[in-house]
Amino acid sequence: EGNKKGSRGALVVLEGLDRSGKSSQCTRLVNYLEGQRISAELWRFPDRNTDVGKMISAYLTNTSQLDDHTIHLLFSANRWEKRLLMETKLKSGTTLVVDRYSYSGVAFSSAKGLDIEWCKASEVGLLAPDLVAYLDISPEKAAERGGYGGERYEKLEFQKKVAESYKAIHDVSWKFVDAFQPIEDVEKQLQEIVIDCVTECQKGKKPLSLLWS
Ligand code: Z5A
Ligand code: MG
């Protein structure tokens, strides 16, 4: 391989409340990176295509009911089943832009009342992101964007609890971006943050690390 030793892709995660704009921005980010001739892929969790993902999807659309602990572990399992491929892609130099990750897992389950440390435990050992960008918007403003469908969790009262959970789990390394700005302004800010991170990872001096730290 022509890569510099240790050179790799970056693991970039976008988090935020429902309707904060994660999916829109992930698509824009990948297009931007490709335009910069950086190999990049868009990933999302839950990945509803796997067998586990189909169980999650049935739960979210209320076609199945599951105990809170059980669905938490399924969301985790859905990340574990992608872990090896994730590592392979990163090491081969591809940057992954990931729409929700372990933080969604912990924020949503703890918002239901599950113990935060218990929620983190099943995430320990997954790859740690190089960058977490949090699309910051109030639950009220997010709800005004409309489009809340019939999926479980798409209710203002619950989103307020999720916002509190995110506050409890974030750390100083997270980049907060005001998600109430026009979509192009959010996009510009994300580009600046992400390109720095990608450059660092390309230099080969930043080994992959593991959650939860
Ligand atoms: N969940 C969990 O419990 N545990 C886990 O481990 C994981 C997830 C991974 C499904 O997730 C549910 O699973 C989710 C968390 C839970 N439940 N909830 N709530 P999902 O990712 O599949 O949810 P989604 O419905 O695809 O995405 P989203 O979060 O609801 O939306 P978004 O991706 O953040 O926003 P968007 O689709 O890009 O934009 C929403 C709308 O706003 C759209 O009309 C845009 O055009 C508009 N928009 C976007 N940006 C702007 C700006 N800047 N200004 C104005 N309008 C904007
Ligand atoms: Mg989305």
Side-chain angles (χ1 to χ4, degrees), residues 19 21-24 44 99-100:
R19 300 296 173 264
K22 298 175 299 300
S23 298
S24 312
R44 64 177 57 82
D99 188 351
R100 294 189 186 276

Side-chain angles (χ1 to χ4, degrees), residues 30 51 57 66 72 169 183:
V30 170
D51 288 341
S57 190
L66 290 169
H72 177 82
I169 62 172
I183 205 158

Side-chain angles (χ1 to χ4, degrees), residues 18-19 21-24 48 75 79 100 105 159 181:
D18 244 53
R19 300 296 173 264
K22 298 175 299 300
S23 298
S24 312
R48 302 192 193 211
F75 273 114
R79 283 182 280 279
R100 294 189 186 276
Q159 292 293 319
Q181 306 174 88

Side-chain angles (χ1 to χ4, degrees), residues 4-118:
K4 209 185 290 176
K5 189 164 175 293
S7 179
R8 61 174 179 85
L11 180 54
V12 174
V13 168
L14 267 69
E15 286 283 359
L17 297 181
D18 244 53
R19 300 296 173 264
S20 57
K22 298 175 299 300
S23 298
S24 312
Q25 295 297 340
C26 282
T27 304
R28 285 163 184 249
L29 257 179
V30 170
N31 288 339
Y32 164 73
L33 292 171
E34 285 173 342
Q36 303 292 114
R37 295 166 159 269
I38 292 164
S39 161
E41 283 184 15
L42 171 54
W43 281 35
R44 64 177 57 82
F45 290 106
D47 177 341
R48 302 192 193 211
N49 298 314
T50 70
D51 288 341
V52 173
K54 284 174 190 144
M55 293 175 72
I56 294 171
S57 190
Y59 172 82
L60 288 171
T61 54
N62 288 301
T63 36
S64 77
Q65 311 302 321
L66 290 169
D67 160 73
D68 291 343
H69 300 80
T70 309
I71 184 64
H72 177 82
L73 294 173
L74 287 179
F75 273 114
S76 274
N78 189 228
R79 283 182 280 279
W80 276 102
E81 63 185 345
K82 306 296 284 192
R83 187 199 181 287
L84 183 60
L85 183 61
M86 187 177 253
E87 185 168 349
T88 306
K89 294 261 180 193
L90 291 169
K91 286 185 169 167
S92 77
T94 300
T95 284
L96 303 179
V97 175
V98 186
D99 188 351
R100 294 189 186 276
Y101 195 53
S102 298
Y103 312 98
S104 283
V106 176
F108 278 78
S109 294
S110 67
K112 294 174 177 172
L114 298 191
D115 177 70
I116 262 194
E117 296 308 319
W118 186 89

